[in-house]
Amino acid sequence: MPETATIKSSATHTVPKIALRRRITDHVMTGAAVLTVILVLAPLVAIFAYLIYRGVGSLNWAFLTQTPKPVGEAGGGMANAIVGSAFILALASIIGVPVGVGAGIYLAEFGRNRFGDIIRFTADVLNGVPSIVIGIVAYAIVVLSQKHFSALAGGVALAIMMIPTITRTTEEMLLLVPQALREAAYGLGIPRWRTTLSITLRTATSGVITGIMLAFARVAGETAPLLFTAFGNQFWNLKVTEPTAALPLQIYTYALSPYDDWHRQAWAGAFVLIVLIVTSVAAVRFAVRRGTFGAA
Amino acid sequence: MAIPALPRPDMPAPQPVEATKVSGLPPTGREVAPFLRGTSGETGDRIFKSAMLVCGLAVLAILVLIVYELMLRSGPSWHAFGFKFFAGHDWDPVNEHFGALPFIYGTLVSSFLALLIAVPLSIGVAVFTTEMCPAALRGPLSFFVELLAAIPSVVYGLWAIFVLIPLLSHYVQPFLSKTFGWTGLFVGPPYGISMLAAGIILSIMIIPIISSITREVLMVVPQHQREAALALGATRWEMIRVGVLRNARAGIMGGIILGLGRALGETMAVTMVIGNRPEIAKSLFAPGYTMASVLANEFSEATGDVYLSALIEIGLALFLVTIVVNALARLLVWTVTRGQPSRANA
């Protein structure tokens, strides 16, 4: 075949035209691949660098301890939004984590059949539903029945977004637990439910928690489903039935405002949001790794 | 390990266990662990299984609830406008006349633009990480690309407003209109806020999805495909084209469609840069509006039942489109990563 010959001849500097063209194409495509990597990494670096630059520069004590000042007045902070976000996320986790883990257990332990496949597919489909649509549904279910915006509505919206992710990762993690471990437990006469909770789930704890944190991190920055559920609030609120401020909402409002001071605070808010997400995820993973033997 | 799956019921218990006080057991004369009788734990198991089933059903119920609420609440708008809702140009809340075409157009164009930018870049990154890059770089590189997926949408929007938009209006748009102005796609004042900006920010957001799935799919391509191509004298690029990419077509397509699903439903970042004007303009420099953005902007201020239900109908349409798109994508990815690559001997 001519190809073999040309490659060999490339070493002896008698390169026929066809081989040269192919080698140039090869180099060009390699260069193109490297170029795509640079093009993809550039915005990432730009976003992080700019976020840290503007965020750290804008951060101050007032931002972390005060509530927003009236429109046009400089100063103030997002303390209520930081706490409000934590509050809504706690509500979402209280609703979403048990249901998600439970559904995951069902799929892994009882769901190796057609019905399980239906639930599995439903979870995957739910994962792709736009967050704004979930906001509408939470509005229709909670806000319309309560007649006003509330932290609970925001929590429900975020919980709905957390459940499919938690379900699927929990299932995957439980399936990683060796069957022999379950059989050993059955062999000791431990009932199935005890086996699942104390042996299977416990072995997979670190993986399951990683899945929960993944879902948590995903919804922590969500803005769209909170727009017409938690709605936002200029003041402190820790009542489940009242509108509540949330960090992403506040960032959104401030980013679109015409005031420089609010822009500054939006950057500080974005920085705090990302730091909070990263540290909460890291802290939980660290605690879990120390507590168990890190099965996954 | 040769552990028997279950203890034989007729085996005597090795030791008396204290949980023998379970009632309903026939007296056996000696202390027998209840589990050997096969009754203990059955109630517990049944309760446990139904509790877990309830959780599983909850997942199903959520989807049903979403469909039900959206259909129920969009009823008034559906009755008022019918199919014309999706073909009408006017969006006039004052006279309660609603047509969703500008939003559908905006969603489609911005998503298409995003794919146009994101697909070559994502495939390039995936090919580089799986086929070309040194092993030491592979882990950090995919980690960094996936870091892009962890940034909240609103932060992308914030960055776009203060960095991307000025960049576009000062450098990119003047250049494009000078060079490609004759196409009619790049005309108009370079304000930055535009359909183009929305497409670019969307493309940055969907690159991690497409590239991570493409990478997964490329890694499933059997090694002997590569070796066979190389053995025939192919250069590395020819090997990638013939041996790798061609085998992974279906999976890559799935990744692209999954990215499309994300782009269609993306709300915040797009709302912050697209300009929010319900018009259909040919130029990419003109502002637009997407289905998700109109929900974000107008939902909490919608007065009147028809207005609200028109918005919910847009939500329903968005929901149905993303479901179809996602189901299609899952199917494509599944066929590749589950079984063997579809054309292993191409």
Side-chain angles (χ1 to χ4, degrees), chain B residues 202-329:
Chain B
L202 272 179
S203 74
I204 298 178
M205 298 178 75
I206 63 174
I207 281 173
I209 301 174
I210 304 181
S211 76
S212 68
I213 289 179
T214 305
R215 201 178 58 234
E216 263 170 48
V217 171
L218 293 189
M219 287 195 310
V220 196
V221 173
Q223 196 60 29
H224 60 70
Q225 290 288 320
R226 299 184 177 90
E227 286 159 6
L230 289 176
L232 286 173
T235 60
R236 184 163 65 177
W237 163 245
E238 287 162 347
M239 175 270 283
I240 291 169
R241 189 168 57 89
V242 178
V244 181
L245 288 180
R246 194 165 291 177
N247 280 325
R249 272 179 309 202
I252 295 175
M253 204 58 209
I256 293 172
I257 298 177
L258 219 55
L260 175 66
R262 171 88 196 270
L264 291 171
E266 184 46 56
T267 315
M268 299 319 294
V270 174
T271 309
M272 290 162 93
V273 300
I274 200 170
N276 300 327
R277 201 190 297 163
E279 277 171 14
I280 297 178
K282 189 187 169 197
S283 170
L284 296 178
F285 288 180
Y289 220 153
T290 69
M291 297 161 88
S293 309
V294 70
L295 290 172
N297 277 325
E298 299 185 10
F299 196 86
S300 52
E301 286 149 24
T303 47
D305 286 345
V306 183
Y307 191 6
L308 195 66
S309 102
L311 285 170
I312 293 179
E313 191 172 349
I314 289 181
L316 177 66
L318 189 60
F319 170 77
L320 293 178
V321 169
T322 46
I323 289 227
V324 170
V325 165
N326 275 303
L328 199 66

Side-chain angles (χ1 to χ4, degrees), chain B:
Chain B
M1 289 201 296
I3 299 171
L6 284 168
R8 296 224 312 274
D10 54 347
M11 253 166 52
Q15 272 176 2
V17 179
E18 56 175 298
T20 42
K21 288 158 212 140
V22 176
S23 55
L25 273 179
T28 52
R30 50 198 279 211
E31 300 273 283
V32 174
F35 52 79
L36 296 184
R37 289 256 142 222
T39 49
S40 151
E42 248 179 35
T43 336
D45 273 353
R46 213 171 294 137
I47 294 171
F48 181 68
K49 187 175 176 181
S50 12
M52 296 305 108
L53 179 64
V54 167
C55 293
L57 285 174
V59 175
L60 216 58
I62 290 171
L63 189 70
V64 173
L65 202 65
I66 291 176
V67 177
Y68 172 76
E69 286 289 346
L70 289 177
M71 302 235 306
L72 179 77
R73 312 254 175 214
S74 63
S77 161
W78 177 250
H79 286 303
F81 308 114
F83 273 112
K84 274 192 213 138
F85 182 76
F86 299 107
H89 290 262
D90 300 324
W91 186 260
D92 186 358
V94 181
N95 298 318
E96 299 216 319
H97 201 273
F98 300 105
L101 195 61
F103 310 114
I104 297 170
Y105 174 81
T107 297
L108 291 181
V109 171
S110 60
S111 303
F112 179 71
L113 210 57
L115 283 186
L116 214 59
I117 303 168
V119 168
L121 291 182
S122 321
I123 294 180
V125 168
V127 164
F128 183 80
T129 39
T130 52
E131 311 291 332
M132 295 174 179
C133 100
L137 216 67
R138 199 168 290 168
L141 197 61
S142 21
F143 172 77
F144 276 121
V145 173
E146 260 140 60
L147 213 57
L148 275 172
I151 301 174
S153 166
V154 69
V155 176
Y156 275 110
L158 187 66
W159 179 79
I161 288 180
F162 292 101
V163 181
L164 184 66
I165 297 283
L167 213 65
L168 280 179
S169 69
H170 290 145
Y171 302 105
V172 181
Q173 288 188 331
F175 168 76
L176 283 176
S177 60
K178 204 181 290 171
T179 334
F180 299 107
W182 50 270
T183 54
L185 290 175
F186 305 104
V187 290
Y191 289 140
I193 298 246
S194 59
M195 191 70 94
L196 182 68
I200 292 175
I201 200 73
L202 272 179
S203 74
I204 298 178
M205 298 178 75
I206 63 174
I207 281 173
I209 301 174
I210 304 181
S211 76
S212 68
I213 289 179
T214 305
R215 201 178 58 234
E216 263 170 48
V217 171
L218 293 189
M219 287 195 310
V220 196
V221 173
Q223 196 60 29
H224 60 70
Q225 290 288 320
R226 299 184 177 90
E227 286 159 6
L230 289 176
L232 286 173
T235 60
R236 184 163 65 177
W237 163 245
E238 287 162 347
M239 175 270 283
I240 291 169
R241 189 168 57 89
V242 178
V244 181
L245 288 180
R246 194 165 291 177
N247 280 325
R249 272 179 309 202
I252 295 175
M253 204 58 209
I256 293 172
I257 298 177
L258 219 55
L260 175 66
R262 171 88 196 270
L264 291 171
E266 184 46 56
T267 315
M268 299 319 294
V270 174
T271 309
M272 290 162 93
V273 300
I274 200 170
N276 300 327
R277 201 190 297 163
E279 277 171 14
I280 297 178
K282 189 187 169 197
S283 170
L284 296 178
F285 288 180
Y289 220 153
T290 69
M291 297 161 88
S293 309
V294 70
L295 290 172
N297 277 325
E298 299 185 10
F299 196 86
S300 52
E301 286 149 24
T303 47
D305 286 345
V306 183
Y307 191 6
L308 195 66
S309 102
L311 285 170
I312 293 179
E313 191 172 349
I314 289 181
L316 177 66
L318 189 60
F319 170 77
L320 293 178
V321 169
T322 46
I323 289 227
V324 170
V325 165
N326 275 303
L328 199 66
R330 298 267 169 217
L331 234 59
L332 277 171
V333 176
W334 273 3
T335 51
V336 176
T337 47
R338 269 196 176 169
Q340 287 299 304
S342 40
R343 279 171 218 281
N345 44 10

Side-chain angles (χ1 to χ4, degrees), chain A residues 3 14 25 42 71 98 105 119 126-127 147 151 153 155 161 178 180 186 197 199 205 219 228 233 240 262 296:
Chain A
E3 280 89 347
T14 53
T25 315
V71 176
I105 292 176
I119 293 183
L126 271 183
N127 227 341
K147 303 269 188 277
M161 297 193 64
Y186 299 150
L197 288 183
I199 310 284
T205 307
V219 300
F228 28 84
N233 192 334
V240 176
W262 279 14

